[in-house]
Each structure stands twice: as structure tokens, then as C-alpha cells.
Amino acid sequence: MMYKTDFLSKVNRVALDLLRRQTFIPASLLETRGSEAGMCTGAAVLFAAHLVRGGQHDITGFFADLATEPDDDFVETRARLYGLDPVAVRNVIINSKALYEDDRARAVPNILRTFVQDQSDSDQRTGTKSRN
């Protein structure tokens, strides 16, 4: 069984890898430009958590609920499903969205480091000793 810190570390690495493969990081959860789709930093965290948990690699299927569900509900539902603090995930989205698109790629490592710290702080506040 993997402890929460190992899980968060893997989520961080996978999200960073996913974002580095994109040519752009949008402000919205998922955006298509021409034939290319891009996830925002918060969406990458959620999809990374999905992948680390052994979920399928189909990005379209993962984000299918966005068509029928408001962004906030999607973030809340997915964050809780993967044992993440929805507030920490929303902070990732807010921090990334606050930057100009050209600056997001350079800021991603710091934003994700802050996410892991926020998640750890949340676990300490709530007394969570969950194993993932």
C-alpha cells in the first residue's frame, strides 16, 4: 500500500510530465485549439491522480463529464474521488489562471510544489492519515 506522500509525489511528477507534453496550458480545465487539446494545471493534477490510481489513459473519457457538469462540480467530485483536497486543487487552478499563458509553463513546478504542500497541510488539519 502506498502512503499519501508517495501518492502526492507521483501525482506531482505525472502532472508535470503531462503539462510538459502540451504546447499550451489554458486557463480553462480543458481547451481545444485546432486538433490539439490542452489541460490547465488543475485538470492535469486531477488526470494525474486518475492515472496514478490505475485509471485509463483516455483523456476524452476522463473529461466527458465536463459537457454536462459545471467546472466547480467536476473539480469537487474528481478531487474527492481521488482523495485530494478540492480547495488545494482549486488553488492550483486559481494560481495558474492568474498568470499569462506564456508564463504558465515556467510556473508549473512551483504551482505543483505548492499544491503538494497545501494538500499535506490539509491532511494535517483534518488529521487524515489515509493510505492510497
Side-chain angles (χ1 to χ4, degrees):
M1 213 179 289
M2 177 179 11
Y3 288 101
K4 186 91 173 203
T5 53
D6 293 337
F7 172 71
L8 292 173
S9 178
K10 286 181 181 181
V11 168
N12 192 343
R13 283 194 310 271
V14 171
L16 189 57
D17 184 53
L18 289 168
L19 292 166
R20 284 184 174 153
R21 294 176 188 209
Q22 297 181 175
T23 58
F24 67 97
I25 300 174
S28 57
L29 288 178
L30 188 64
E31 184 178 320
T32 303
R33 295 181 186 171
S35 62
E36 190 172 350
M39 294 178 278
C40 78
T41 309
V45 165
L46 294 172
F47 189 60
H50 168 76
L51 293 175
V52 169
R53 295 275 196 189
Q56 294 184 355
H57 293 259
D58 177 26
I59 228 171
T60 307
F62 181 79
F63 289 105
D65 292 341
L66 274 177
T68 60
E69 180 173 9
D71 286 3
D72 284 342
D73 291 348
F74 180 85
V75 169
E76 177 91 18
T77 301
R78 295 297 171 132
R80 291 196 188 287
L81 178 65
Y82 299 116
L84 302 174
D85 178 7
V87 173
V89 176
R90 278 195 205 95
N91 285 342
V92 168
I93 295 167
I94 291 166
N95 291 336
S96 183
K97 192 181 277 194
L99 300 169
Y100 289 111
E101 184 173 319
D102 292 342
D103 297 332
R104 288 185 191 131
R106 285 187 303 276
V108 162
N110 289 332
I111 291 171
L112 292 176
R113 242 186 319 277
T114 301
F115 161 72
V116 171
Q117 185 59 50
D118 287 351
Q119 182 68 51
S120 297
D121 291 348
S122 171
D123 290 347
Q124 287 176 356
R125 278 192 310 276
T126 60
T128 303
K129 295 180 184 175
S130 64
R131 293 182 180 173
N132 293 313

